[in-house]
Amino acid sequence: LFVSFGRVAEGFALAVAVVFPLGVLMGSFSKVRAAFTPLSVFGAYLPIPTLVPLTLSLFGTGELQKVVFLALAFGIYLLPLIVAAVDSVDDILLKTAYTLGASRGQAVRKVLLPVAWPRIFDALRLGFGVGWSYILLAEMVDIGRGLGGIIMVSQRRGPREHIYLVLALIVLVAFLTDKAWVTLGRRLFPYRERQA
């Protein structure tokens, strides 16, 4: 469980490190969006399981392959959500900032990001849950450690009951981590509770 959780967390962190600034730039600047939209569209139609042989051919069967595969899966899911969160900021707020003399960089830092943060946080929360649906694909090769390894060994040698136990464990961990995200969201954005 800890091995699989570590892989999900590392893949998520790697994806966010790349996709978060890219998504903010795409949502803020039309030229950046025009440059990267074809890549985003390509990713949207790409079946995630096809990334397994691709990452295997590039990174082998070690730990790096699993983390990169998960990072790609996270990134494909998160990028359009982050762009949409930045897009959702009301134009009136930006026009007001420009009227008050803000530069484009200041408008992004002081208006777009703060207003979009709650929706970006929701995207990250949903995205983290996606990792648990792909962890089995990541761990299908080089079976040794992790929940996916237990499932593959149980499928081949038995007992089959271990498969059901691992699936129940994945659902439980995904549910508990989602609750942790919700609790963190309430602390970061307490005003959202009052608005509802």
Side-chain angles (χ1 to χ4, degrees), residues 143-175:
I143 300 168
R145 303 180 304 156
L147 297 175
I150 294 174
I151 284 186
M152 295 304 291
V153 169
S154 298
Q155 180 186 3
R156 294 174 185 175
R157 302 179 194 165
R160 294 290 172 90
E161 291 80 6
H162 289 177
I163 297 174
Y164 306 125
L165 181 60
V166 168
L167 293 177
L169 189 58
I170 289 173
V171 171
L172 177 64
V173 171
F175 175 77

Side-chain angles (χ1 to χ4, degrees), residues 70-125:
L70 288 168
L72 289 171
F74 279 127
I76 289 169
Y77 182 82
L78 287 173
L79 183 59
L81 294 179
I82 293 173
V83 173
V86 176
D87 272 345
S88 70
V89 176
D90 197 331
D91 282 343
I92 293 173
L93 298 173
L94 282 174
K95 290 175 183 175
T96 304
Y98 290 135
T99 301
L100 293 172
S103 66
R104 294 195 71 172
Q106 288 172 327
V108 171
R109 288 193 318 271
K110 304 284 186 181
V111 179
L112 282 177
L113 264 180
V115 175
W117 257 122
R119 288 194 65 181
I120 291 174
F121 181 86
D122 288 342
L124 296 177
R125 171 192 162 198

Side-chain angles (χ1 to χ4, degrees), residues 3 6 13 35 38 50 104 107 121 126 133 137-138 153 156 163 166 178 188 195:
V3 168
T50 61
R104 294 195 71 172
F121 181 86
L126 293 173
S133 62
L137 284 173
V153 169
R156 294 174 185 175
I163 297 174
V166 168
D178 186 66
L188 292 175
Q195 287 175 352

Side-chain angles (χ1 to χ4, degrees), residues 12-82:
F12 182 77
L14 180 59
V16 170
V18 174
V19 169
F20 174 74
L22 179 59
V24 170
L25 289 173
M26 285 177 67
S28 304
F29 303 104
S30 57
K31 289 182 180 177
V32 178
R33 177 180 297 205
F36 285 97
T37 293
L39 182 64
S40 178
V41 171
F42 174 76
Y45 290 106
L46 183 69
I48 298 298
T50 61
L51 295 174
V52 174
L54 175 66
T55 54
L56 282 172
S57 66
L58 293 173
F59 303 103
T61 59
E63 198 67 22
L64 181 61
Q65 179 269 333
K66 296 168 180 56
V67 172
V68 171
F69 165 75
L70 288 168
L72 289 171
F74 279 127
I76 289 169
Y77 182 82
L78 287 173
L79 183 59
L81 294 179
I82 293 173

